[in-house]
Amino acid sequence: MSKIPVYFMPGLAASPAIFERINLDEAVFEMCFLEWEIPAAKESLTDYAIRIAKKIKHPNPVLIGVSFGGILVQEIAKHIDARKVIIISSVRSSVEFPRRMKIGKTTKAYKLIPMKILLNIESLAKYSFGEKINKRIQLYEKFLSVRDLRYLQWAVESVIRWDRTQIDENVVHIHGDKDDVFPIKYIKSCIIVKGGTHVMILNKYKWLNENLPSIILEE
């Protein structure tokens, strides 16, 4: 029996190191990791998704994305045949954005975010991973790999301006009930992880290791 290829896409500015605690049975699954690349000038999210999709070397893979990576794998799935799409700590449509993000889109307030400050690791950790960061800075220094100004401007704008309004019911959504970036009250339906925060890929890995295999294999 050939192994099931599972491609993982990390969250905004993060490296594939965020998946280091995720273990899938090597006899059944082949784990592959996608990385963020610097976008071309004025590159659309669609074009970027097509570019990253070219890094996928297996037919019919499972795509798993975290946060902004969850948005990206949904865009990639428009251009390849995917066995399954699973998003973690993310959204299936812009309708699920919290109010502040919707206001940011309308007012274009995201253009006022001082991106150069975000290049500071503490600010970037706070933006990418939520508020409670003091004890986690060293951890995030390890996990945040992309500190390019153009990437950050493009990524923030791509999230805020994401225009998908229809939820794809085939996308499996795993979400923590303590997520402070995408609060659970705005999420339409998902597999809820009790006590899971926006960084549960790091601290709820035991739950994920126990449950991901059956979620992937479920018909």
Side-chain angles (χ1 to χ4, degrees):
M1 186 184 91
S2 58
K3 297 180 185 180
I4 297 168
V6 183
Y7 280 79
F8 291 85
M9 188 77 215
L12 191 148
S15 80
I18 67 166
F19 301 113
E20 67 182 14
R21 294 174 178 170
I22 303 300
N23 293 307
L24 299 178
D25 185 348
E26 290 179 6
V28 181
F29 306 101
E30 181 176 349
M31 294 175 68
C32 309
F33 302 95
L34 297 167
E35 296 189 52
W36 293 108
E37 297 186 359
I38 306 306
K42 298 187 177 176
E43 187 170 17
S44 68
L45 185 60
T46 296
D47 288 344
Y48 189 89
I50 291 168
R51 182 150 67 93
I52 298 298
K54 289 175 182 169
K55 307 286 182 188
I56 295 171
K57 302 304 181 191
H58 299 79
N60 213 30
V62 174
L63 303 176
I64 297 181
V66 172
S67 192
F68 180 35
I71 289 174
L72 184 64
V73 296
Q74 290 176 81
E75 291 299 308
I76 289 172
K78 291 178 180 176
H79 307 288
I80 66 167
D81 289 325
R83 176 188 176 115
K84 186 165 282 191
V85 178
I86 299 168
I87 65 170
I88 299 169
S89 309
S90 189
V91 289
R92 292 191 292 175
S93 86
S94 59
V95 176
E96 297 180 312
F97 282 162
R99 202 160 150 263
R100 66 178 182 275
M101 288 179 72
K102 290 177 180 173
I103 291 169
K105 181 177 181 178
T106 306
T107 62
K108 299 197 173 172
Y110 60 87
K111 289 183 180 289
L112 303 176
I113 296 169
M115 292 297 166
K116 284 184 179 168
I117 292 174
L118 280 185
L119 291 176
N120 169 294
I121 188 68
E122 188 165 333
S123 301
L124 189 53
K126 193 170 185 176
Y127 190 84
S128 296
F129 292 107
E131 295 294 328
K132 297 171 185 171
I133 59 164
N134 291 341
K135 292 179 182 174
R136 303 180 190 160
I137 290 297
Q138 286 180 323
L139 194 64
Y140 295 150
E141 192 133 33
K142 175 181 175 183
F143 294 125
L144 289 167
S145 64
V146 189
R147 301 185 201 174
D148 178 271
L149 194 58
R150 190 164 77 191
Y151 165 81
L152 289 172
Q153 289 171 328
W154 171 85
V156 170
E157 191 162 327
S158 294
V159 173
I160 297 288
R161 295 181 62 194
W162 193 43
D163 58 3
R164 179 173 292 195
T165 53
Q166 290 292 113
I167 285 175
D168 181 348
E169 298 296 344
N170 292 319
V171 173
V172 179
H173 188 174
I174 303 170
H175 209 80
D177 62 359
K178 297 283 190 284
D179 194 307
D180 59 349
V181 175
F182 297 119
I184 193 78
K185 67 180 178 180
Y186 299 109
I187 304 300
K188 302 300 175 203
S189 62
C190 63
I191 299 167
I192 295 175
V193 179
K194 287 268 194 289
T197 65
H198 197 62
V199 291
M200 67 180 183
I201 194 71
L202 300 180
N203 52 30
K204 290 290 183 185
Y205 62 92
K206 288 180 182 172
W207 186 97
L208 291 162
N209 286 339
E210 284 169 15
N211 292 277
L212 271 179
S214 59
I215 290 170
I216 291 169
L217 293 169
E218 206 171 67
E219 291 297 330

